[in-house]
Amino acid sequence: MKLIFFGPPGAGKGTQAKRVSKEFDIPHISTGDLLREAVKDETELGKKVKEILEKGNLVSDEIVNELVEEKVKKIDKFILDGYPRTIPQAEFLDEVLKSIDKELDGIVFIDVEEEEIVERITSRRVCPKCGRVYNTITLKPEVSGICDDDGTKLIQRDDDKETVVRDRFQVYLKSTSPLIEYYKKNNKIFTVDGSQDIEDVTKELFNILRGVSDDNNKNR
Ligand code: AMP
């Protein structure tokens, strides 16, 4: 399956994409993770994008397009999480897929409103060592502030602070939400209510994607 996970920042895309990736054995490509890794490793790319990420702005289309093109061309199934985020990125992805004779199987839109997003993101914590994501309200670690997997002290990402979250939501409304109309034209969009309990969102997604996978097998 070739899928896009799409929605406002903090809708739970990353968490759900990781679960789907494991359940269906599909590689998970998160441009946010790739960019954060570059910042952490202090690569040339990392130095270029560090400040942009801290402010919650979008990195240029050229940079993320290049990151994704390289990955997408190497594999025949994927979940793209956090990409595309602009119409030009979506157009670029269409071109890349066309050039290798591939098509998207579905766009998963995880929908959540702004106030809930703000509460959620500001309570998000991550493990700086393994990247596991927690939430101080909905997805607590066993010991407060400590990663269950490796005992590392959890941190709050700079771009998860409230002012940045509100800015990121505005960026989402302006640049990313037009993708809904873009994809409605010729692709299968599956809208999931992301304000539900996290386990219920996962269940709904697994059901939807089992349907997509069955359809794919039938059409083979
Ligand atoms: P995320 O983890 O998906 O919320 O991404 C974190 C940050 O990485 C965003 O706030 C952007 O600064 C940058 N980023 C990730 N994906 C993209 C993209 N497709 N286009 C532009 N910037 C991106």
Side-chain angles (χ1 to χ4, degrees):
M1 278 190 286
K2 289 171 282 306
L3 304 168
I4 287 177
F5 273 43
F6 154 77
K13 291 187 301 288
T15 306
Q16 299 296 345
K18 283 191 191 104
R19 291 179 176 196
V20 169
S21 160
K22 207 166 152 203
E23 177 75 12
F24 292 85
D25 190 26
I26 309 174
H28 170 215
I29 303 170
S30 155
T31 42
D33 284 350
L34 292 172
L35 293 168
R36 275 187 293 277
E37 217 167 275
V39 172
K40 202 169 135 210
D41 295 344
E42 295 179 355
T43 63
E44 276 309 305
L45 168 66
K47 284 179 205 154
K48 235 194 263 178
V49 301
K50 185 171 189 282
E51 215 173 297
I52 304 173
L53 260 71
E54 279 166 4
K55 288 193 180 133
N57 291 328
L58 293 185
V59 169
S60 75
D61 291 336
E62 289 70 31
I63 289 179
V64 281
N65 284 346
E66 200 181 315
L67 275 180
V68 170
E69 179 176 18
E70 213 179 286
K71 302 256 173 206
V72 162
K73 282 189 164 167
K74 278 194 221 141
I75 46 184
D76 62 1
K77 50 182 183 175
F78 53 76
I79 300 171
L80 282 175
D81 160 16
Y83 179 96
R85 248 182 167 97
T86 63
I87 299 278
Q89 288 178 21
E91 289 169 346
F92 178 82
L93 178 64
D94 279 350
E95 286 303 313
V96 170
L97 291 175
K98 212 162 111 194
S99 76
I100 48 175
D101 213 13
K102 289 178 188 169
E103 261 180 38
L104 292 170
D105 297 296
I107 321 293
V108 173
F109 172 43
I110 305 184
D111 192 17
V112 186
E113 286 181 358
E114 179 171 359
E115 286 318 307
E116 177 152 356
I117 296 277
V118 171
E119 183 182 295
R120 270 191 193 183
I121 307 196
T122 53
S123 55
R124 182 156 72 181
R125 300 292 180 273
V126 291
C127 172
K129 192 167 170 207
C130 70
R132 185 161 165 186
V133 180
Y134 296 87
N135 187 292
T136 57
I137 303 163
T138 55
L139 200 64
K140 295 180 188 173
E142 278 164 29
V143 180
S144 169
I146 303 291
C147 179
D148 291 347
D149 290 342
D150 52 35
T152 307
K153 194 162 181 273
L154 303 179
I155 57 161
Q156 182 176 42
R157 269 166 44 183
D158 285 334
D159 58 350
D160 284 349
K161 312 241 155 92
E162 180 167 347
T163 48
V164 182
V165 174
R166 296 222 183 252
D167 286 348
R168 290 173 73 201
F169 197 84
Q170 289 311 311
V171 171
Y172 164 77
L173 283 185
K174 182 167 167 273
S175 305
T176 310
S177 64
L179 288 178
I180 301 173
E181 289 308 313
Y182 179 87
Y183 280 124
K184 261 189 195 159
K185 282 182 208 143
N186 47 15
N187 283 281
K188 291 176 213 160
I189 289 210
F190 304 102
T191 303
V192 177
D193 173 7
S195 66
Q196 302 175 85
D197 186 88
I198 193 166
E199 301 301 332
D200 292 335
V201 177
T202 306
K203 255 190 235 155
E204 197 175 325
L205 276 173
F206 283 8
N207 281 338
I208 292 171
L209 296 175
R210 279 193 193 104
V212 174
S213 171
D214 288 349
D215 280 352
N216 277 0
N217 290 336
K218 266 186 229 145
N219 293 335
R220 249 186 215 143

